[in-house]
């Protein structure tokens, strides 16, 4: 890590200055294992499922991947920073509920609700970060608390305000159409429909990658994830970094939440539970270490893509649906194992 | 610390600005005001009888935030107001927890008990215990086969197999050949019975598809994938109202010609039926399940009446098409259908 400034070795022998071949460098990338895994999953379903290779199927698989990937990118960054967020799944639902209910109750232009939702969602993210850095409790406990509180608030508030457990339809309100264009539109390219979430996903992954590899904040993320105390000792603002990471997750939750709202018009308050694990799984398949300090944003995208291919590939293959969950679990496990194996081989060749 | 405080202050300022903007940036269409203008909700209920204020408890297997159970609860609450009943509602989707909630109701010495038997084996002991303690029990929604055996007065609900059979027949009448049954909760017995019932009477071919009910985009993508994989599918039946909408979107993206049909009703389904986006909906009238359960318990307490003659009292299936949807739309909006 560039932040651990030890006594400098003689310039010629410094391993950091050694020239490495492009192949070596490629093998050292954290997402390499997952790319190989993704290729394996892709080839597998291309063989067993006739309709998997059709162009229209690509749009469907990418959509499934993008709804996970949008969240997996900031979750991956958070994991590299050494923390978890178990509230990420329900936060998406909270975000959708807030903008829907605010617009409806205030009879406001839908965009006002969208903006309020952004503020509140970021505030919840900040709450996670503040609590974590203040109390020094593990993020597992903090965000588990937030997860439960949000689940209760989602239900309680929705029922209190709209009288039922789902929100009222806001499809006839002003601003809905333009908001739908931003968060839930789709394009047809060559007869294949692509959802706008794919674009959001690509942009978020690109931004996350840029932050991670090209900015000072990116170095801080690796540093606090690797060894927080050492990072603090060399002047990394640990608290600000961690809060920033939670804000990132909150922002992505807002994007996903708005997609949920504007593509389905009505939001069910009980949704989202369990999705936080899927985001974490996508990040782990993508090469993030659960212990922090290692991983990449592109890897999380590949992880989300593997998840999208697996869950939809099973449908395309028309397998007996009784075994759905089993296949899903087995595929994920295999992909992760392959990923770990490739990484070990890659590190051995160094 | 100073930075944090200015941050909070800035946030407060932004929030105030937004609240101000929301007053200016009003929507002239839709929203709460439109609804209030459109119709005043049903008048505040008042007890219609002067029988003692009995306490009835209802314990269901509903998960958190389930739209269906929300309507059942509303029916029960309105009947309770009318019958001068103190109504207690609790729910848990874990069988063991549900049994504990029933035990709690027994401990409270309630005057009547309404339970669902989604997982009958787990509920057997505690229900028979309630009956032994002299508490009249009525089962609703699920458990028609076990209800009498456990000592309940009556069972109120839809027979899931019969409901499924009705769907199969309706699909035949509409000339469908290949149908898809979307299950949003893997392992739910009622869901399996519905699809099995439909399969029994449907002359064409019917396949099951499991989807992740808590993740709507995933539901949509799964149905989309299935419709792309099999272009011959000409009917999709979802088992819950919210999933019908996802199916409609999936159909559009997949470029499929399939007709989308659904179990259960909500405001969106009612509208979609009217504009023919949906073919038909099978309603089991959840409001009736709650309302009748409370009312029948009251009748039993007051007058010793029992309904059904030892057989389940069926609240469905009622097949709803575009014809009936217009009238029902207003009831779905207020949350009683």
């Amino acid at each position: 890590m560039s932040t651990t400034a030890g006594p400098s070795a003689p310039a010629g022998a410094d391993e950091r200055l050694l020239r490495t071949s492009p192949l070596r460098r490629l093998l050292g990338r954290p997402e390499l294992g997952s790319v190989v895994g993704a290729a394996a999953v892709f080839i597998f379903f291309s063989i067993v499922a006739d309709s998997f290779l059709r162009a229209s199927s690509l749009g469907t698989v990418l959509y499934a991947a993008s709804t996970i990937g949008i969240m997996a990118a900031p979750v991956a960054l958070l994991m590299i920073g050494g923390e978890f967020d178990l509230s990420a799944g329900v936060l998406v639902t909270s975000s959708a509920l807030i903008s829907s209910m605010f617009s409806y109750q205030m009879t406001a232009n839908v965009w006002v609700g969208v903006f309020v939702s952004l503020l509140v969602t970021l505030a919840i993210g900040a709450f996670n970060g503040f609590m974590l850095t203040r109390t020094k409790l593990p993020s597992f406990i903090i965000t588990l608390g937030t997860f439960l509180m949000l689940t209760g608030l989602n239900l309680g508030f929705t029922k209190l305000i709209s009288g039922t457990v789902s929100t009222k339809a806001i499809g006839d309100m002003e601003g809905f159409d333009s908001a739908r264009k931003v968060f839930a539109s789709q394009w047809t390219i060559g007869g294949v429909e692509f959802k706008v979430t794919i674009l959001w996903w690509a942009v978020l992954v690109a931004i996350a990658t840029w932050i991670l590899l090209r900015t000072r904040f990116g170095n801080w993320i690796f540093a606090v994830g690797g060894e927080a105390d050492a990072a603090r000792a060399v002047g990394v603002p640990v608290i600000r970094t961690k809060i920033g990471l939670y804000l990132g997750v909150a922002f992505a939750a807002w994007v996903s939440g708005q997609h949920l709202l504007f593509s389905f018009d009505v939001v069910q308050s009980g949704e989202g539970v369990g999705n936080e694990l899927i985001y974490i799984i996508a990040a782990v398949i993508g090469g993030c270490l659960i212990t922090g300090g290692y991983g990449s944003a592109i890897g999380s995208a590949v992880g989300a893509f593997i998840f999208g291919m697996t869950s939809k590939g099973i449908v395309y293959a028309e397998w007996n649906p009784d075994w759905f969950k089993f296949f899903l679990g087995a595929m994920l496990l295999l992909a992760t194992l392959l990923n770990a194996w490739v990484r070990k081989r890659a590190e051995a060749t160094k | 610390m100073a930075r944090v405080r200015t941050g909070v202050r800035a946030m407060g300022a932004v929030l105030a600005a937004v609240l101000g903007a929301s007053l200016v940036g009003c929507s002239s269409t839709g929203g709460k005001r439109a609804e209030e203008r459109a119709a005043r909700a049903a008048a505040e209920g008042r007890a219609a009888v002067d029988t003692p204020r009995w306490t009835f408890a209802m314990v269901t297997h509903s998960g958190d935030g389930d739209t269906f159970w929300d309507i059942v609860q509303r029916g029960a609450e309105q009947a309770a107001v009318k019958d001068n009943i103190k109504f207690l509602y609790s729910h848990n989707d874990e069988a063991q927890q549900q049994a504990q909630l029933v035990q709690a109701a027994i401990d409270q010495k309630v005057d009547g008990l309404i339970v669902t038997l989604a997982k009958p084996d787990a509920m057997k002991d505690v229900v028979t215990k309630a009956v032994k303690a002299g508490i009249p029990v009525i089962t609703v929604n699920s458990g028609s086969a076990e209800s009498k055996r456990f000592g309940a007065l009556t069972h109120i609900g839809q027979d899931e197999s019969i409901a499924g059979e009705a769907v199969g027949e309706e699909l035949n009448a509409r000339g469908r050949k290949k149908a898809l049954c979307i299950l949003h909760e893997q392992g739910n017995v009622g869901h399996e019975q519905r699809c099995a019932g439909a399969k029994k009477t449907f002359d064409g071919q019917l396949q099951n598809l499991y989807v992740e009910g808590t993740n709507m985009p995933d539901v949509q993508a799964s149905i989309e994938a299935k419709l792309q994989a099999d272009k011959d599918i000409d009917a999709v039946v979802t088992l819950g109202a919210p999933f019908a909408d996802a199916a409609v979107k999936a159909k559009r993206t997949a470029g499929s010609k399939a007709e989308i049909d659904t179990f259960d009703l909500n405001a969106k389904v009612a509208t979609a039926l009217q504009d023919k986006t949906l073919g038909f909906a099978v309603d089991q009238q959840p409001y009736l399940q709650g309302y009748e359960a409370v009312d029948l318990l009251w009748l039993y307490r007051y007058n010793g009446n029992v309904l059904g003659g030892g057989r389940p009292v069926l609240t469905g299936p009622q097949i709803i098409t575009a014809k009936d949807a217009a009238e029902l739309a207003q009831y779905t909006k207020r949350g009683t259908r």
Side-chain angles (χ1 to χ4, degrees), chain B residues 113-293:
Chain B
L113 189 62
I114 303 156
V115 290
T116 63
L117 303 179
K119 284 129 188 166
D121 295 333
M123 300 299 291
K124 187 182 174 190
D125 284 351
V126 79
V127 169
T128 44
K129 204 166 163 188
V131 173
K132 263 195 204 124
I135 301 172
V137 177
I138 285 184
T139 58
V140 294
N141 184 259
S142 39
S144 56
E146 294 82 8
S147 175
K148 199 178 173 193
R149 199 146 42 87
F150 292 1
L153 297 176
T154 310
H155 178 81
I156 302 165
Q158 153 178 280
D159 185 305
E160 301 293 8
S161 302
I162 294 178
E165 286 166 20
V167 168
E169 277 155 18
E170 183 70 22
L171 288 173
N172 287 339
R174 286 162 180 265
R176 300 289 144 183
K177 298 277 171 277
K178 194 165 190 184
L180 199 58
C181 200
I182 313 288
L183 298 97
H184 58 266
E185 240 180 76
Q186 195 159 11
N188 183 318
V189 182
H191 288 186
E192 300 285 350
Q193 286 172 343
R194 285 178 180 182
C195 292
K199 198 170 196 164
K200 194 171 142 198
T201 51
F202 184 43
D203 296 332
Q205 197 192 338
L206 185 126
Q207 291 176 18
N208 289 1
L209 176 71
Y210 294 97
V211 294
E212 205 64 56
T214 49
N215 187 345
M216 224 27 125
D218 188 69
V219 173
Q220 184 187 331
S222 289
I223 301 174
E224 219 169 275
K226 187 70 187 181
L227 289 176
Q228 285 162 348
D230 191 345
K231 293 278 181 198
D232 295 336
I233 292 169
D234 58 2
V236 176
V237 182
T238 58
L239 299 188
F243 306 99
D245 192 43
V248 167
K249 291 206 166 62
K251 166 193 168 177
R252 211 169 288 151
T253 320
S256 163
K257 298 239 174 343
E259 174 185 277
I260 313 290
D261 307 306
T262 186
F263 278 81
D264 299 347
L265 200 62
N266 68 10
K268 272 203 111 173
V269 168
T271 332
L273 283 171
Q274 285 178 70
D275 59 29
K276 304 262 165 82
T277 323
L278 293 181
F280 64 89
V282 192
D283 193 19
Q284 61 168 311
Q285 311 193 78
Y287 183 84
L288 213 50
Q289 293 180 1
Y291 188 93
E292 285 299 311

Side-chain angles (χ1 to χ4, degrees), chain B residues 39-123:
Chain B
R40 290 272 154 208
E44 274 292 303
R46 202 168 292 145
V49 292
D50 57 358
T51 46
R53 193 162 171 80
W54 290 311
T55 302
F56 294 169
M58 182 174 199
V59 185
T60 72
H61 68 275
S62 161
D64 283 339
D66 190 308
T67 40
F68 179 90
W69 288 101
D70 206 40
I71 301 173
V72 176
Q73 196 187 338
R74 188 163 298 215
E77 273 165 358
Q78 293 191 353
V81 167
K82 188 201 70 180
D83 292 341
N84 194 27
I85 297 296
K86 186 177 173 202
F87 178 71
L88 309 170
Y89 179 80
S90 54
H91 67 94
N92 201 305
D93 50 3
E94 298 285 334
Q96 193 195 359
Q97 301 283 332
Q98 195 197 348
Q100 286 172 12
L101 289 170
V102 174
Q103 180 59 49
I106 298 171
D107 297 341
Q108 279 170 284
K109 296 196 169 49
V110 295
D111 302 296
L113 189 62
I114 303 156
V115 290
T116 63
L117 303 179
K119 284 129 188 166
D121 295 333
M123 300 299 291

Side-chain angles (χ1 to χ4, degrees), chain A residues 95 98-100 102-103 108-123 179 183 251 254 258 261-262, chain B residues 10-11 13-22:
Chain A
S95 165
I98 292 163
S99 53
S100 168
F102 189 89
S103 309
N109 187 301
V110 169
W111 279 103
V112 179
V114 170
F115 190 54
V116 170
S117 167
L118 174 63
L119 290 182
V120 179
T121 311
L122 286 177
F183 293 108
F251 179 79
W254 172 73
Q258 302 315 301
L261 171 60
F262 290 107
Chain B
M11 219 145 172
V14 175
L15 205 62
V18 168
L19 284 168
S22 69

